[in-house]
Amino acid sequence: ETGVTQSPTHLIKTRGQQVTLRCSSQSGHNTVSWYQQALGQGPQFIFQYYREEENGRGNFPPRFSGLQFPNYSSELNVNALELDDSALYLCASSLAGRGYTFGSGTRLTVV
Amino acid sequence: RKEVEQDPGPFNVPEGATVAFNCTYSNSASQSFFWYRQDCRKEPKLLMSVYSSGNEDGRFTAQLNRASQYISLLIRDSKLSDSATYLCVVNWGNTGKLIFGQGTTLQVKP
């Protein structure tokens, strides 16, 4: 059984650029959630996808968007990057909300 | 009021000590609760789910008080390897949206 994998592991972008982060969910999981974790804080919920539809969103602006594909993998896109977007981005997968497994995250630095 | 509140610590304890972490949540409709452990620069990993009846896993005991909207984690006989950040997590209104507390940092010293 494969776990949740995220890519890339580290990324440096310039303010104003766009970024795409990727997540492969655990085998058999149909729900993917994305979280942003700033230094010294707990993860903050960005949004969740279930069977390719967004079914929950946190307090993040529209420049944070996502997709879920038929194989349940997912992307997080962030447009017009700001310095405050620098954080660890975590993806978690579950089977219809039962038990959440996290990937090791993508550390994004915006300069 | 924060949705999930924890004392950030740090808690500095000697090996063998017993330490307790507390957490409160504001959404009374929530039904699922968890403690996650996060090591420095790593992803959170599930430590244990929390049930109304209380549950124990070795040296770890979790308790839930729905009336007070309060969750606790007790660690007995602390080990050096227990040093980490412990995150209180609530499945918000059972929506699948996990709300994390800020985390409580534990440092166990020899």
Side-chain angles (χ1 to χ4, degrees):
Chain A
E1 179 181 274
T2 57
V4 177
T5 58
Q6 291 186 244
S7 62
T9 55
H10 296 82
L11 200 54
I12 299 175
K13 288 287 193 177
T14 303
R15 191 170 47 182
Q17 284 188 312
Q18 178 267 343
V19 69
T20 297
L21 310 182
R22 295 180 173 82
C23 172
S24 293
S25 57
Q26 183 166 317
S27 176
H29 285 185
N30 56 14
T31 303
V32 174
S33 306
W34 286 90
Y35 295 81
Q36 180 196 66
Q37 187 174 23
L39 201 60
Q41 301 296 316
Q44 300 292 310
F45 177 78
I46 303 175
F47 42 57
Q48 176 171 276
Y49 282 83
Y50 171 68
R51 293 187 174 179
E52 303 178 58
E53 297 283 332
E54 184 182 297
N55 77 335
R57 189 176 180 94
N59 189 26
F60 281 81
R63 58 190 186 83
F64 285 78
S65 63
L67 283 174
Q68 187 180 31
F69 300 100
N71 66 355
Y72 302 132
S73 66
S74 177
E75 284 182 357
L76 164 65
N77 298 291
V78 187
N79 293 323
L81 284 166
E82 301 177 0
L83 298 179
D84 285 349
D85 295 334
S86 297
L88 178 67
Y89 288 84
L90 295 160
C91 167
S93 75
S94 69
L95 177 59
R98 296 192 296 272
Y100 299 85
T101 303
F102 282 83
S104 55
T106 294
R107 193 164 297 279
L108 173 66
T109 302
V110 183
V111 298
Chain B
R1 180 183 175 186
K2 285 186 181 177
E3 295 166 311
V4 178
E5 290 202 68
Q6 290 182 253
D7 178 350
F11 285 62
N12 294 301
V13 303
E15 271 186 290
T18 296
V19 61
F21 303 141
N22 304 317
C23 168
T24 58
Y25 61 96
S26 61
N27 187 338
S28 60
S30 298
Q31 298 290 321
S32 306
F33 310 89
F34 312 92
W35 283 100
Y36 275 74
R37 170 191 168 132
Q38 187 172 28
D39 293 290
C40 188
R41 304 182 73 83
K42 301 281 192 181
E43 75 274 22
K45 292 189 177 175
L46 179 65
L47 179 65
M48 56 199 307
S49 300
V50 187
Y51 305 114
S52 294
S53 54
N55 48 300
E56 188 173 308
D57 183 2
R59 298 181 294 108
F60 299 84
T61 301
Q63 295 277 354
L64 167 65
N65 183 322
R66 289 186 188 276
S68 302
Q69 294 175 208
Y70 171 94
I71 305 162
S72 66
L73 176 68
L74 183 76
I75 305 175
R76 290 180 299 277
D77 189 22
S78 299
K79 311 291 185 193
L80 295 176
S81 57
D82 294 334
S83 297
T85 296
Y86 290 83
L87 295 158
C88 175
V89 185
V90 176
N91 183 343
W92 204 247
N94 275 5
T95 60
K97 172 181 171 182
L98 297 183
I99 302 297
F100 286 76
Q102 181 181 359
T104 300
T105 299
L106 172 66
Q107 185 67 45
V108 180
K109 298 186 180 299

